[in-house]
Amino acid sequence: MSSSAFLIEIPRGSKVKYELDKASGLLFVDRVLYSSVVYPHNYGFIPRTYCPDNDPLDILVLMQEPVVPFSFLRAKPIGVMRMIDQGEQDDKIIAVHADDPEYRGYSDISQLPPHRLQEIRRFFEDYKKNENKLVVVDEFLGLEDAQRIIRDAMESYEENFVPKVHRVASFTQ
């Protein structure tokens, strides 16, 4: 998958958890994180995707600067972090900002420094602990797995939200 437009809900460095209100299409402040952690990178979702947790597919975009909530930006997926959040699959696509010279050269998660992945893992393992909510971070997988998960989420969106076209069969006599 080449670069595409993704929506950022939460800027890097924030303790505020924003959520998209599906009914209004606006962002609302869900909560301030209960732990002494901040989002390590810009966090949002991939439009026109739908996952088993009844939300769009989450994405963490690595780049040098935070961006304001509800921004679209060009990013390219490089991998996925498999995660279970309170018993539900809640994968996080890991991407790099396509226009950030420090990150745009990465094409697979295996190229990232191990410390970067440890920071991401630790954030997601810890950010809900003080709420007594269980999050289990499984493994980081590469680009091919990320592309498969994105395709599956796009297909799920189509199946659940795009009206089916009724075709009238033409009969020849």
Side-chain angles (χ1 to χ4, degrees), residues 85-104:
D85 187 347
Q86 300 177 78
E88 291 186 325
Q89 191 70 40
D90 194 12
D91 295 332
K92 311 296 183 198
I93 297 298
I94 308 299
V96 294
H97 188 258
D99 301 305
D100 185 326
E102 186 171 322
Y103 286 96
R104 70 178 175 213

Side-chain angles (χ1 to χ4, degrees), residues 50-98:
Y50 190 66
C51 296
D53 66 352
N54 299 317
D55 280 327
L57 183 57
D58 296 322
I59 189 164
L60 193 67
V61 180
L62 283 61
M63 60 186 292
Q64 296 180 67
E65 296 294 325
V67 297
V68 297
F70 230 40
S71 295
F72 274 94
L73 54 75
R74 288 181 346 114
K76 62 179 183 177
I78 62 169
V80 60
M81 182 182 72
R82 305 301 311 260
M83 190 175 105
I84 306 291
D85 187 347
Q86 300 177 78
E88 291 186 325
Q89 191 70 40
D90 194 12
D91 295 332
K92 311 296 183 198
I93 297 298
I94 308 299
V96 294
H97 188 258

Side-chain angles (χ1 to χ4, degrees), residues 8-12 14 16-18 39 41-44 67 69:
I8 298 301
E9 294 171 297
I10 304 166
R12 172 184 162 185
S14 179
V16 179
K17 175 69 167 102
Y18 298 94
Y39 279 83
H41 295 282
N42 294 299
Y43 181 81
V67 297

